[in-house]
Amino acid sequence: MTSILALDSSTDACSVALYQDGQVTSLFELASKSHTQRLLPMVDQLLSEQQLPLSSVDAIAFGRGPGSFTGLRICLGVVQGLAFGAQKPVIPVSTLAAMALAYYQRQPQSSLPCLVALDARMDEIYWALYGRGEACLTPRLLNTEEVMSPALVAEDKQLLEFKGQFAALGQGWHYSQLDVVRPEICQQDVYPQAEQIAWIAAEAWARGDHQTVMEAEPVYLRDKVSWQKRQRIRPVTSPPLS
């Protein structure tokens, strides 16, 4: 029996899920600024409810980004602790792909491509285009994951070719610069969730696609900002006395 534990805290939402041979159970909370306090207790609650010890899980999946710098680091820290302790491999999953999968699961007849957008702050969005997966659940990435201003996204040539025949997903769509695009469907109240991360991870596991915990890294897309934040949180040391 394949069992995969999945975690995500890449946005204001916090979620965990457990895949067990084609069935997924999950917990989800909007937990802005309390991911550190909630994520591990949610893991304990889910495993306890399913009567499954962590040692029986085959792998641990996580939302690897893009998303909140702090949220991604919290999730990876918890995953590293769990994976080290239980000696389990890990499976990183795109948060944007997870959001696209949620749409296709809710709309099984839809053939529309999806433009998924998360608010990256600083007047930018994380975004990517997806199509329905072919012979699998995992959505097909139609371009590359990017971070840029909403105005530049609205001018994207590939997006313009759809002529509004696509689904717009995620809170990044609140920017007024995207109003000119006029998608057929727009759903802003959408978050990455561990449930879809678990489904995508299960297909990756079946392909033999996983990593050691030492290889696991978040995907920020905005590396310069991430570096600046790391610099700010480093302890300040006083210069030596002369």
Side-chain angles (χ1 to χ4, degrees):
M1 181 177 73
T2 299
S3 298
I4 297 174
L5 177 67
L7 295 77
D8 182 72
S9 61
S10 59
T11 63
D12 286 346
C14 186
S15 58
V16 299
L18 183 65
Y19 172 95
Q20 293 179 287
D21 279 350
Q23 299 291 327
V24 173
T25 52
S26 63
L27 298 173
F28 173 89
E29 292 182 10
L30 288 177
S32 178
K33 299 181 180 180
S34 61
H35 297 90
T36 303
Q37 292 78 27
R38 292 301 305 136
L39 194 57
L40 194 53
M42 290 172 70
V43 170
D44 291 339
Q45 178 184 342
L46 182 62
L47 292 177
S48 176
E49 288 176 351
Q50 297 303 308
Q51 299 182 344
L52 187 74
L54 183 62
S55 59
S56 296
V57 169
D58 292 300
I60 302 174
F62 66 100
R64 51 84 164 158
S68 158
F69 173 81
T70 302
L72 294 178
R73 295 304 304 177
I74 290 171
C75 186
L76 181 58
V78 172
V79 168
Q80 287 175 329
L82 294 172
F84 271 125
Q87 297 184 332
K88 300 296 180 180
V90 299
I91 305 173
V93 174
S94 165
T95 51
L96 302 181
M99 293 169 68
L101 176 58
Y103 169 77
Y104 289 124
Q105 288 180 323
R106 291 193 302 268
Q107 305 289 337
Q109 305 304 318
S110 176
S111 59
L112 291 174
C114 294
L115 193 156
V116 185
L118 286 174
D119 192 347
R121 311 299 181 186
M122 299 173 65
D123 293 321
E124 290 185 321
I125 61 174
Y126 303 118
W127 73 285
L129 284 164
Y130 288 92
R132 181 179 288 279
E134 297 176 349
C136 66
L137 283 173
T138 304
R140 292 180 295 117
L141 183 61
L142 302 179
N143 59 348
T144 56
E145 295 180 342
E146 301 279 356
V147 57
M148 64 177 65
S149 71
L152 288 177
V153 175
E155 297 172 358
D156 181 79
K157 292 182 179 179
Q158 187 176 6
L159 179 62
L160 292 174
E161 290 175 358
F162 292 139
K163 298 180 179 178
Q165 299 299 303
F166 66 93
L169 309 173
Q171 295 185 330
W173 281 92
H174 77 84
Y175 285 101
S176 60
Q177 296 96 316
L178 292 172
D179 291 346
V180 298
V181 179
R182 299 184 182 279
E184 184 170 321
I185 296 170
C186 186
Q187 300 174 351
Q188 292 188 30
D189 192 19
V190 179
Y191 298 89
Q193 294 195 34
E195 178 179 349
Q196 283 72 38
I197 289 170
W199 284 112
I200 293 174
E203 292 191 335
W205 178 258
R207 298 192 303 268
D209 188 3
H210 52 80
Q211 301 176 346
T212 68
V213 67
M214 295 299 294
E215 297 173 301
E217 290 287 345
V219 172
Y220 298 119
L221 293 185
R222 190 190 281 150
D223 290 333
K224 182 178 180 181
V225 172
S226 299
W227 179 84
Q228 290 172 340
K229 288 188 177 182
R230 287 197 297 271
Q231 290 295 101
R232 288 201 297 269
I233 63 177
R234 284 180 179 175
V236 177
T237 57
S238 302
L241 297 174
S242 58

